[in-house]
Structure formats: structure tokens, C-alpha cells
Amino acid sequence: MSDPLLRVEDVVKTFPVRSSSLFDREHAVVHAVDGVSLEVMPGETVGLVGETGCGKSTLARCIARLYPLTSGKVWFQGKDISNLSRGDLRPVRRDIQMIFQDPYGSLNPRRRVGSIIGDPFTIHGIGSRKEIKTKVQDLMETVGLNPEHYNRFPAEFSGGQRQRIGVARALALRPKLVICDEPVSALDVSIQAQIINLLIDLQDDFGLTYVFISHDLSVVRHVSDRIAVMYLGKIAEVSTADDLFGTTRHPYSRALLSALPLPDPDVADSRERIVLVGDLPSPTNPPTGCRFHTRCPKAQHDCVVTDPPLEPVFDDPPTHRTACLHPLAVGEDLALAVPHIEDSEIVADDTTEGGAPLTERS
Amino acid sequence: MALLEVRDLRVAFNTPDGVVEAVRGLSFDVERGTTLAIVGESGSGKSVATQTITGLTRGARISGSARFDDTELIGASTKVLQKIRGNRIGMIFQDPLSSLHPYYKVGWQIVEMIRAHDHRISTAAARQRAAHLLSLVGIPRAESRIDDYPHQFSGGMRQRVMIAMAMALDPDLLIADEPTTALDVTVQAQVLEVMRNLQEQYGTAIILITHDLGVVAEMSDEVVVMYAGAVMEKGARRTIFYDHHHPYTEGLLASLPAQGDIGARLTPIAGAPPSLISLPAGCPFAPRCRYAFDLCWKETPPLAEVYDDPTHLSSCWLSSNREMRHLDREHADETDAQAQAAEPEEWSA
């Protein structure tokens, strides 16, 4: 087995919240990422899924060192990059690139496409102007853009084509790791498929490693070898894509999977639907113990106090790790579960309280 | 008679770049107590169409007809429309934060809406009704939360408030324009559940506008597939998913990541949607269609019955016979495979 390309070790990232009150001395802190460890092997695609505010984008930005870490370590190719200075980071940045969600916001509207894609070469001082132009035109062809459109502005391209521009820019320096942060979420379905295909092809051609972030489980499942499900800044469950969908262990993963609307009426009519209670608790004041206990259909007393470690449960292989004290057995029906927990035990802020009955079968 | 009958609706806007034909001859019916899903990608005209029906498009050139329970809505006076909106047609939109006034308490906004339509109801009674509505859509401790401001609610809760408001006067029709697009999947499941329960309880008809085929599969009775301002295909839910005729519907479904096909290339629709300014003659989908032939570029196909099913309509020149259509598909698969073997991929349009 080879060494991991990327190793994330107990990464914590907090953001201070500016208080509206002048006299509020206790400054609140958002725990965006709270102790995440993850390994990414070369050539692999690791999907990060979770709902808004689960910290998946923050984690990505910590890996790319766009944010300084609050604590923890990021190892890239065996080298600790978590405390490198800006200058020392520069060579590392050639190898770690990002593709962003919004193909409109991530391209400067006043610059020509050729110079946007050529930026990485200019910044890293690679090649003469003429060489850069050839390289850029090659790249444009690689990602399926017409190289003759070198001098056009981003506004002259459609959403899907702009995302191709973003991909070309990320690929310019032949990176090893590409972090895709919701790369297809802003695109229409028919265009989404074009970009996913492009990413799959490029991975084969250039041996890329992807960290693929999306809230869309069907997309993540399609591209990922392994998937990490995040909830409130922590990994709830991580495993191969097949195992996650086949033997789902964490109640949150199960709820997330069951909430995904499937484009198949027969399946939609027949399957069990688990409707979770309430909303995501605030990350400024996350629940004690297991963070999911406020919404979990299987919550017990110990969930309120004990923060479960991320480890294999039952007879799962070491690749399948779950942070849950009462994981789901194979074939267990989550819809029948009843939490054994007093309401008074749940300490949560006001917006988190749920409405609909706890779980429902439909 | 259907609750809402839309016939040949056309909406065009004058813009500095030319006339944008946002909706080009849209016809559909909504039956009482059922859900009609309108699916389409951005710019297909699905939102403009329903906004026009409720009189919310300004400065547009509108023609056609939309009869709601014997009242013609197109060209109706503001007074008539105001009576129907809220009272008989409720509406919810994508972004629940910008649909609520940030300065006023949620309860006040619902009470105001109830009283605007029912002058005889007392404030106290209206307030009681508002609280009841909030608990109906699953907001806990509704009596106290009624005095909260919109910012004190989460996204999913705000959308519940919007649904409560839209349902306040027990409308016959609820128009939901991408009601869950801004929400996370688990919250989306909650909101869809609320809508389903209310429909069961009150027999409300729903027009559900969405781009998410998963939501369509879960919620709809009938489906209208729109592209470039026109209906491409229309039929019962299962028909659209399992027995579709139109190449666009086929392409949309094929481009979704399938289960159990991990890492495989997807089958996208080539190219991009057309500009709605000066659309050329012929079928709007022809440039992206793998079946397109001479006629498709010259004449726009009518929306006609296919597969001998009077409820299944498709706007396509391909054969309306199921076996013939199947042969077309096989033939196209073969030619595509040959073409792919012969030359590398084209640049994207």
C-alpha cells in the first residue's frame, strides 16, 4: 500500500463571531471544523457530503491552506504544510488546486479567458508569453473549449463553459490534488453531466486525486471511491461508496440517504422515508456528546454525554468507520426507532426545535 | 372541468437586446386535488408562466388564456386578481427569507394577510387562526413563536411559515415555485411532507415548479416538461419516467447519475439551451437532439398524442408509435457508437 497523498490530522477551525453587544465579553466562536482526520490516497476520489454548515467547505479550504488552521495538521506528500509561510506554501500550491461552485463569481469578468487560464503560469513564472499561449490553448482543448475563443470574456460563455474555464485554470500546473467544491451545483442537470464526465476523463488522463464536495449525494456517489459524511464539523461516517450505501451505520447517514429524492417513481413510492426532526443546531453552541443526538431517532442517554469516536463498528472493515454509540445493524429499521431521551436533556438553542413527528413511514 | 385551464399562453419581454420570448404557447390543465409538476432547466419559462397566470409579470406582452374556475385570469383587473390571489390561489417561492418582511413579526404578517381578504374577522380570531396554521405546518410552540421575527426562524422554518401563509385562506390551488431548492435535503424532506399532508387534508391542487426530477418523482401526479418556453412533453408521472417519448425528456433522465453505476461516464445532452431572443424556426431542441432530421429544423412540431394514450402528449416529429420510436432509439445508439469510434469528442458548443 502506498502512502497517502494527503493526511488530515485532527484539524480544528473556528471562526470568532463578532458580538453585536459592546459589553459582551465572552466572544462566541463558530466551530466550523472540529477535529477531522482523513486520508486521501493518490488517484482516489474522496467525497465530502453534508448539509449547509457541516464544515465541508471550510475543511476543503483548510486543506488548500486558504485558511490558517486553528489546530491540527495537514500533511501533503508526507510533508507537514499546516504551518508553512506564504512563501513556503507557493510550491505546494502548484500541486493543490481548487475548482469552485459559482462559475460566475469565480472568474474576473473584465479579463480575457486566455489570461485567466494563463494566470497560474504567470504567477509561478513558467514560460514566455508565447509558450503560455500555446499551453493555454492546449488546456482549452483538453477541457472541451474552442482554443480560438482565447480572447473572449467570461460573459461570452455559458455556465457550463465557464466551469470548464475554471477546470482548465485548476489543471494548468498539472496539480496532484484537485479540490472540487460543489463544482456542478450551480449547473442545470444536462450540463452537470457534461462537467462530471470531464472531471472523470481528466482524472484518468492525468492521474488526478480529487476531494469532491457536494450536498448532492447522487453526484458524490457517482464520482467517489470513498465518502465521508459530515455533520456539524465532524465526520459521522466514512467508508467506501458501496459500503456507505449498502451497510449504512450512522443514523444521520441513513436519514440523509432516505431524504434524497430519487428520480424513480416506483422507488419513491415504496421506500421508507425518515423525516428528521428540526434543523441543524447552531455551530456556535454545538450539542454535547454526539452532535446528532438532538435529532437522532436512536438517541439514548449516553449520547448526550459521550462523544463517540470514529471507528469500525460491528464487524466492519477498517475502511468503514462510524462515530456512533448505537449504530444501525444491517436491516435495522430506523423508522421504528424511538429515542430514549428526555426533552430536558436536549440542550439546544431555539432554532433547532423540530416540528413534524419524529419519524414517519410513507 | 379542470380547476385551471391554460391555453396557448405566450409571454414576451422587450429587452435592450431584443424581444425575449419567455413562454411560447403553453397549454395545460390542473385538476382539483392533484399535483402538476412543471420541470425544466433555467430559462425554460416555467416560473414566468405561473407568474403571468397570477398577474405578477409586469411590462410583458401576454396573450392566450388561463381560466381559473370560470374566471379568466389573463387580462383580468387588479381587483379581480387581488381577490383570487391569496384567497383562492396561494403562492410560495424559492427564497423564504426575501418573501417575508424582516421588520414585522411572522404572526402579524399572517394576520394581515387573513384580514386583507376577510374584513369581518377580528384580529384576535385571525391571530388564533395564524397560530393554528403555524402548528399545522409543524412549527413547535406556535402560540409563542407567532411573535418572533423572520430572522429568528431557520430556512426550513421560514418556508413552513410561507406555506402557512399561502394556505391561510384554504386556497383551491397552491403554486409552489422551487419551494425546496434553497433547502438542505433533510429539511426539503420535511417541507415536502408538510405539503403532502396539507394536500391530503384540504384537497388543494398544487402546481410544483422544479428542476429536480427526484422531487417530481416523489410529489407529482402529472408532469409537464418545458424547454425554451414550450411544452416538450406532458403525461402522467410514471409515463414521463418510464415511457417517455420526447428526446429531451429522455436526455434529462439519462444525464442523471444512475444508482450502481459508480465512476462511469454519464450521458449528458450535448450543447447548451438556446437564447430565447429570435429563436430559429423548427423544434427548439433540434440543435441538441440526437434524432434530429430535416423536418425538425424547418417546422415546429405540434404537441400531439403519442403511444395511443390521450393523456400523453409530445411535441416531436418522431413517430408516435412505440415500436417505431424504439427502432429510432436503437438506430441512434448505433450511429452514436460509430461516430464516437470514428472521431474524438467535439468542443462544447
Side-chain angles (χ1 to χ4, degrees), chain A residues 207-273:
Chain A
L208 298 173
T209 305
Y210 288 137
V211 171
F212 195 99
I213 300 168
S214 179
H215 66 277
D216 188 338
L217 270 166
S218 53
V219 170
V220 169
R221 178 187 195 176
H222 189 82
V223 298
S224 306
D225 301 307
R226 286 195 301 131
I227 298 175
V229 179
M230 288 187 71
Y231 187 78
L232 271 185
K234 278 184 183 295
I235 293 179
E237 184 168 1
V238 58
S239 90
T240 60
D242 285 335
D243 277 354
L244 183 70
F245 283 78
T247 46
T248 316
R249 295 299 191 192
H250 202 288
Y252 177 65
S253 315
R254 175 75 70 85
L256 201 62
L257 295 184
S258 94
L260 178 73
L262 294 174
D264 188 335
D266 281 346
V267 180
D269 289 350
S270 63
R271 74 178 170 151
E272 154 199 274
R273 207 175 276 120

Side-chain angles (χ1 to χ4, degrees), chain A residues 173-321:
Chain A
L173 298 171
R174 293 277 178 292
K176 298 200 169 63
L177 177 68
V178 179
I179 300 168
C180 312
D181 191 356
E182 305 264 9
V184 295
S185 305
L187 307 173
D188 278 321
V189 263
S190 69
I191 308 297
Q192 234 178 46
Q194 295 177 4
I195 298 298
I196 292 174
N197 276 353
L198 176 67
L199 292 173
I200 293 174
D201 290 347
L202 293 173
Q203 179 164 39
D204 293 345
D205 293 349
F206 298 109
L208 298 173
T209 305
Y210 288 137
V211 171
F212 195 99
I213 300 168
S214 179
H215 66 277
D216 188 338
L217 270 166
S218 53
V219 170
V220 169
R221 178 187 195 176
H222 189 82
V223 298
S224 306
D225 301 307
R226 286 195 301 131
I227 298 175
V229 179
M230 288 187 71
Y231 187 78
L232 271 185
K234 278 184 183 295
I235 293 179
E237 184 168 1
V238 58
S239 90
T240 60
D242 285 335
D243 277 354
L244 183 70
F245 283 78
T247 46
T248 316
R249 295 299 191 192
H250 202 288
Y252 177 65
S253 315
R254 175 75 70 85
L256 201 62
L257 295 184
S258 94
L260 178 73
L262 294 174
D264 188 335
D266 281 346
V267 180
D269 289 350
S270 63
R271 74 178 170 151
E272 154 199 274
R273 207 175 276 120
I274 298 145
V275 178
L276 282 182
V277 182
D279 301 309
L280 206 67
S282 155
T284 37
N285 184 21
T288 55
C290 171
R291 300 186 160 201
F292 186 54
H293 82 257
T294 55
R295 301 169 76 193
C296 182
K298 284 195 79 180
Q300 313 275 327
H301 296 289
D302 48 353
C303 301
V304 184
V305 276
T306 315
D307 189 3
L310 186 66
E311 58 189 19
V313 293
F314 299 114
D315 48 0
D316 282 342
T319 50
H320 189 170
R321 286 173 289 151

Side-chain angles (χ1 to χ4, degrees), chain B residues 64-133:
Chain B
S65 141
R67 287 194 78 78
F68 176 75
D69 210 17
D70 280 339
T71 314
E72 176 59 53
L73 298 179
I74 303 298
S77 67
T78 316
K79 215 174 152 190
V80 171
L81 282 171
Q82 268 172 0
K83 249 194 155 147
I84 288 178
R85 282 194 298 241
N87 217 342
R88 306 212 43 210
I89 302 182
M91 281 172 278
I92 45 180
F93 301 99
Q94 174 173 349
D95 181 1
L97 185 54
S98 58
S99 315
L100 287 166
H101 198 299
Y103 276 17
Y104 294 98
K105 290 172 181 168
V106 160
W108 187 91
Q109 297 188 48
I110 303 176
V111 168
E112 190 212 19
M113 137 96 187
I114 295 171
R115 298 197 72 208
H117 287 279
D118 183 352
H119 302 293
R120 281 167 306 172
I121 194 167
S122 70
T123 315
R127 203 182 134 85
Q128 212 163 33
R129 184 160 170 71
H132 173 67
L133 284 161

